């Protein structure tokens, strides 16, 4: 059976000579830079100076400015009503009244992108509170040469937090030299005692901890305005690079960009074909639920198709695809019979929920 086409991709421009093979990768990100630290030059660019929302990549600057104050890391901070997100109404597992040491707050903010923790850290860092802190973030951005960057808050929830891929590279490189930022952004998971509960947190970047990825710093970001973003500093066979990706439509697209860039840097083909899953559908409440099993016979994963009437019905056979890490699986085709005659799934974006394997 022929492989299905995945997504419409846009081209990028390679810069200068490098130990790569074949054409530059086609990226889902709207803006991207791959920067060689040792050579002090960009190896790959796509709209590198387009100003876009930063989302939670903001928290790298938040952590740097907080640590620049040489604070007492064991000082207890309290999450207050001021730290609640009234802009995006994002969820949090850290309730108002939670008391954690500053070091623990920083860990949650950087590793799992916990907004209330980032707010509590910034609110308690300087006399004058949050307004003074945000002003210091902008001052540091200028000192780092981030001339197209502006911060409006310390969490990244504000769409007025904007930057470019070139500026994000500068921020990430500077942040990687802070020992705690390196440590916290490269943790795969962490158990935190929040009140009377022990909560398990996981790194928001699925590449962290993946075999073969020697990541020295990582920070993801997402808001509706920013799309899916990520910046990593990673040791490659050719030396350390910073990869900044901004504005991908999906987490799967963001991850496949990372894999394609790595392949290209290693001299391998830069294309990346998502893994295919075969699935059958069954009715579950108002939605037809697809329980899929990878063709390799690995454990089942769960997808959600559409509401009844949007294509997939009980008893139909489906194909789904995922990134190499089996995240953000999505339905791409279906058929009303078991024969391998699959049709493109024409449901519009947003009519399918997405689940991770």
């Amino acid at each position: 059976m022929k492989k299905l086409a995945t997504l419409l991709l846009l081209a990028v421009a390679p810069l200068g000579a490098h130990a790569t093979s074949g054409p530059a990768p086609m990226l889902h990100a709207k803006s991207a830079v791959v920067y060689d630290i040792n050579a002090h030059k960009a190896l790959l660019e796509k709209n590198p100076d387009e100003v876009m929302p930063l989302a939670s990549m903001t928290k790298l600057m938040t952590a740097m400015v907080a640590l620049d104050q040489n604070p007492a890391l064991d000082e207890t901070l309290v999450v207050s009503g001021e730290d609640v997100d009234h802009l995006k109404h994002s969820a949090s597992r850290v309730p108002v009244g939670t008391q954690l040491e500053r070091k623990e707050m920083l860990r949650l903010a950087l590793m799992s992108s916990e907004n209330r923790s980032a707010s509590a850290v910034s609110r308690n860092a300087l006399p004058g509170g949050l307004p003074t802190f945000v002003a210091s973030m902008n001052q540091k951005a200028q000192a780092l040469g981030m001339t197209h960057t502006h911060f409006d808050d310390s969490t990244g929830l504000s769409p007025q937090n904007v930057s470019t891929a070139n500026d994000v590279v500068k921020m990430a490189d500077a942040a990687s030299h802070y020992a705690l930022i390196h440590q916290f952004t490269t943790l795969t998971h962490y158990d935190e005692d929040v009140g009377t509960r022990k909560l398990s947190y996981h790194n928001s970047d699925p590449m962290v901890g993946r075999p073969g990825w020697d990541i020295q710093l990582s920070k993801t970001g997402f808001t509706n305005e920013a799309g899916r973003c990520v910046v990593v500093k990673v040791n490659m066979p050719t030396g350390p690079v910073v990869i900044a990706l901004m504005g991908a439509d999906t987490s799967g697209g963001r991850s496949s960009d990372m894999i394609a860039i790595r392949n290209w840097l290693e001299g391998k083909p830069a294309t990346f074909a998502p893994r295919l899953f075969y699935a059958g559908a069954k009715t579950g409440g108002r939605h037809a639920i697809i329980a899929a099993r990878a063709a390799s016979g690995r454990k089942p994963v769960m997808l959600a198709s559409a509401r009844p009437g949007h294509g997939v019905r009980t008893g139909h056979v489906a194909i789904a695809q995922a990134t190499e890490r089996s995240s953000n699986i999505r339905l791409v085709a279906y058929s009303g019979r078991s024969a391998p005659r699959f049709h493109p799934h024409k449901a519009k974006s947003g009519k399918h929920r997405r689940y991770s394997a």
Side-chain angles (χ1 to χ4, degrees):
M1 184 180 65
K2 294 181 179 179
K3 288 183 177 179
L4 297 171
T6 57
L7 293 171
L8 178 63
L9 307 178
L10 298 175
V12 295
L15 303 176
H18 194 66
T20 57
S21 175
M26 309 287 282
L27 300 179
H28 300 79
K30 294 179 176 64
S31 175
V33 169
V34 179
Y35 187 83
D36 187 317
I37 298 295
N38 292 338
H40 305 288
K41 68 177 184 179
L43 305 174
L44 195 76
E45 290 185 340
K46 177 182 176 183
N47 302 322
D49 294 314
E50 182 174 348
V51 177
M52 301 178 65
L54 266 171
S56 283
M57 292 191 296
T58 293
K59 293 183 176 74
L60 291 177
M61 184 62 76
T62 298
M64 283 193 287
V65 172
L67 291 171
D68 285 347
Q69 313 311 314
N70 295 314
L73 295 175
D74 60 353
E75 180 183 354
T76 298
L77 304 182
V78 182
V79 173
S80 77
E82 296 178 71
D83 304 315
V84 175
D85 170 23
H86 296 293
L87 179 64
K88 300 288 188 181
H89 304 287
S90 57
S92 174
R93 294 195 291 167
V94 180
V96 171
T98 296
Q99 300 183 35
L100 292 173
E101 293 182 355
R102 179 177 277 107
K103 184 177 180 179
E104 308 300 312
M105 293 281 195
L106 273 170
R107 182 186 285 114
L108 291 181
L110 289 170
M111 187 198 74
S112 61
S113 217
E114 170 56 57
N115 291 316
R116 291 183 185 178
S117 296
S119 177
V121 167
S122 56
R123 188 170 49 79
N124 289 280
L126 287 166
L130 189 58
T132 303
F133 188 89
V134 173
S136 295
M137 292 172 69
N138 285 306
Q139 291 168 9
K140 189 170 184 70
Q142 292 301 307
L144 292 174
M146 300 170 63
T147 56
H148 295 92
T149 298
H150 174 75
F151 294 103
D152 189 60
D153 78 350
S154 61
T155 63
L157 290 166
S158 171
Q160 303 306 313
N161 284 23
V162 295
S163 189
T164 66
N166 271 332
D167 278 5
V168 168
V169 165
K170 296 173 184 177
M171 178 173 66
D173 187 34
S176 70
H177 296 288
Y178 289 70
L180 276 183
I181 297 178
H182 159 73
Q183 177 187 341
F184 291 163
T185 64
T186 56
L187 285 171
T188 57
H189 64 277
Y190 183 77
D191 292 337
E192 181 67 70
D193 292 321
V194 177
T196 59
R197 300 179 298 161
K198 182 178 288 293
L199 301 179
S200 293
Y201 289 87
H202 297 273
N203 199 299
S204 55
D205 181 359
M207 295 299 146
V208 172
R210 187 175 181 81
W213 287 82
D214 184 12
I215 292 177
Q216 301 301 301
L217 174 140
S218 174
K219 189 70 198 76
T220 61
F222 170 73
T223 61
N224 289 334
E225 297 88 352
R228 304 285 176 173
C229 308
V230 68
V231 61
V232 299
K233 185 175 182 179
V234 55
N235 287 328
M236 304 292 291
T238 53
V241 298
V242 176
I243 303 171
L245 303 172
M246 303 177 73
D249 289 333
T250 66
S251 295
R254 180 179 63 189
S255 294
S256 64
D257 280 357
M258 291 285 293
I259 295 166
I261 289 169
R262 180 186 175 86
N263 287 346
W264 180 72
L265 290 173
E266 293 180 345
K268 301 174 184 176
T271 56
F272 172 66
R275 181 179 298 159
L276 293 180
F277 290 77
Y278 298 91
K282 64 179 181 179
T283 301
R286 296 174 53 203
H287 294 75
I289 303 299
I290 299 176
R293 182 179 295 274
S296 62
R298 294 184 180 180
K299 67 180 183 179
V301 296
M302 184 171 286
L303 316 171
S305 75
R307 291 167 294 175
H310 285 297
V312 181
R313 302 179 182 87
T314 300
H316 282 209
V317 176
I319 288 182
Q321 69 182 20
T323 68
E324 184 177 322
R325 194 178 171 86
S326 299
S327 63
N328 293 288
I329 301 165
R330 69 186 188 96
L331 181 68
V332 294
Y334 71 93
S335 173
R337 53 189 173 188
S338 59
R341 295 179 59 187
F342 294 90
H343 311 286
H345 187 70
K346 297 180 180 179
K348 295 180 180 179
S349 175
K351 289 184 178 178
H352 286 73
R353 296 182 182 179
R354 294 182 176 128
Y355 289 79
S356 297

